[in-house]
Amino acid sequence: VALEGGVTSVNPSPDRTEAIIGTTQSLVYRLRVSDLRHILVCQNHSNNVTAVTFPPDSSDRFATCSEDGTVRMWDLSDYSVLCKGVCRDGGIPLCVAFAMECLITGWSDGKVRCFDAETGEQLWSMSDVHRGGVTALE
């Protein structure tokens, strides 16, 4: 079974047909013991949240970024993650803003990065936007 992050806890169901597994990436999975099929039950940031924002035209979703190097868009009706963008070599995302179908982010390494709001894929980045990190986007 390939799970994201190292396993930190496992707890079997009373009938031993399933187990709940927690990981170092702040993910919780449900595992069916008979065939080792698993589903992601919930996910969270694994470090401090550095910014939160709503899109200008909607109150049913919001975006966050975190010191764990991720940017996430959440569904406010059930707090599920609609998409997750990751940049492991960019320092810390410090701010986030919605722009059309993208999440624009400012980072501690002075770059601005754009992530697709549906897939979380990084679309582009701009280097050397600000010395000392990009802390605000308007």
Side-chain angles (χ1 to χ4, degrees), residues 40-44 60-64 72-84:
L40 182 63
V41 176
C42 70
Q43 59 181 298
N44 303 287
D60 63 346
R61 57 195 163 114
F62 64 99
T64 58
R72 299 171 197 246
M73 185 166 61
W74 304 80
D75 182 329
L76 201 53
S77 68
D78 61 4
Y79 298 101
S80 63
V81 174
L82 299 171
C83 76
K84 177 175 94 171

Side-chain angles (χ1 to χ4, degrees), residues 24-136:
T24 56
Q25 295 298 308
S26 299
L27 304 174
V28 177
Y29 292 93
R30 189 173 87 198
L31 174 80
R32 191 166 52 201
V33 174
S34 63
D35 59 6
L36 300 181
R37 294 183 102 191
H38 61 278
I39 61 167
L40 182 63
V41 176
C42 70
Q43 59 181 298
N44 303 287
H45 287 292
S46 61
N47 211 326
N48 297 332
V49 173
T50 55
V52 178
T53 190
F54 279 95
D57 60 345
S58 175
S59 60
D60 63 346
R61 57 195 163 114
F62 64 99
T64 58
C65 54
S66 168
E67 289 178 1
D68 64 8
T70 65
V71 178
R72 299 171 197 246
M73 185 166 61
W74 304 80
D75 182 329
L76 201 53
S77 68
D78 61 4
Y79 298 101
S80 63
V81 174
L82 299 171
C83 76
K84 177 175 94 171
V86 179
C87 182
R88 296 290 179 216
D89 62 353
I92 298 169
L94 302 174
C95 55
V96 59
F98 282 87
M100 310 269 295
E101 297 300 317
C102 299
L103 295 172
I104 308 295
T105 56
W107 292 70
S108 61
D109 65 358
K111 289 185 179 182
V112 170
R113 292 177 173 85
C114 176
F115 295 88
D116 184 285
E118 285 188 26
T119 66
E121 174 188 1
Q122 185 175 324
L123 301 174
W124 52 262
S125 68
M126 294 181 350
S127 299
D128 303 319
V129 174
H130 196 278
R131 270 192 317 239
V134 177
T135 60

